[in-house]
Amino acid sequence: TLKMAFDRQGGVADLSATKSERFTCPESLDMVHRLRRDSDAILVGRSTVEVDDCTLTIRRVEPRKDGRNIQIQPARVILDPSRTLDLKDYKFAHDGLPALIYFRKEDEGSESTTTMERD
């Protein structure tokens, strides 16, 4: 499932602002979190993290729970081809949930992954 929000000019983000302003209504946000609850992963690119400082978690609806009654969050996958995100600057890197960051290894030209695990 792919979810994108478009502004009146057909854009997906206000790149003129220093911080992207939300242009999605509350009902749409609730729908997004229901979609997240039913998804195995949330995939974003480096620019989305830089502009939105997103957590990529389920917050507006009750998450699914496993057999031990522990909340299940979808895997967070970030595409950062040049590996330029400074992780200390973003919320997702400090909440104790795992994230996968895909990047390209310069010396080999192959793809690689960094995994952030729970503490």
Side-chain angles (χ1 to χ4, degrees):
T1 302
L2 173 67
K3 184 274 183 196
M4 295 177 73
F6 294 92
D7 64 15
R8 291 181 184 163
Q9 289 76 38
V12 294
D14 180 4
L15 298 179
S16 64
T18 56
K19 174 134 175 67
S20 181
E21 295 298 322
R22 187 173 304 283
F23 52 82
T24 304
C25 68
E27 294 81 10
S28 180
L29 290 171
D30 290 343
M31 180 197 69
V32 167
H33 285 265
R34 285 191 302 275
L35 285 170
R36 287 181 178 186
R37 178 179 57 203
D38 295 333
S39 299
D40 294 322
I42 300 170
L43 172 76
V44 297
R46 181 198 78 241
S47 294
T48 297
V49 174
E50 291 174 334
V51 172
D52 294 341
D53 193 13
C54 42
T55 61
L56 307 173
T57 58
I58 302 166
R59 298 178 309 281
R60 296 180 64 96
V61 298
E62 186 68 27
R64 290 179 296 140
K65 296 186 178 177
D66 68 9
R68 297 172 295 164
N69 208 30
I70 296 174
Q71 291 185 355
I72 301 171
Q73 290 286 345
R76 301 179 301 174
V77 181
I78 300 167
L79 304 178
D80 182 13
S82 303
R83 200 174 184 186
T84 58
L85 281 176
D86 189 353
L87 299 181
K88 69 177 176 21
D89 294 337
Y90 301 103
K91 293 175 191 171
F92 82 89
H94 301 285
D95 62 11
L97 297 172
L100 297 171
I101 303 170
Y102 283 91
F103 59 93
R104 180 167 293 281
K105 281 186 172 181
E106 300 249 348
D107 57 340
E108 300 173 20
S110 61
E111 295 179 357
S112 190
T113 307
T114 296
T115 305
M116 298 175 52
E117 296 290 340
R118 292 179 190 252
D119 293 334

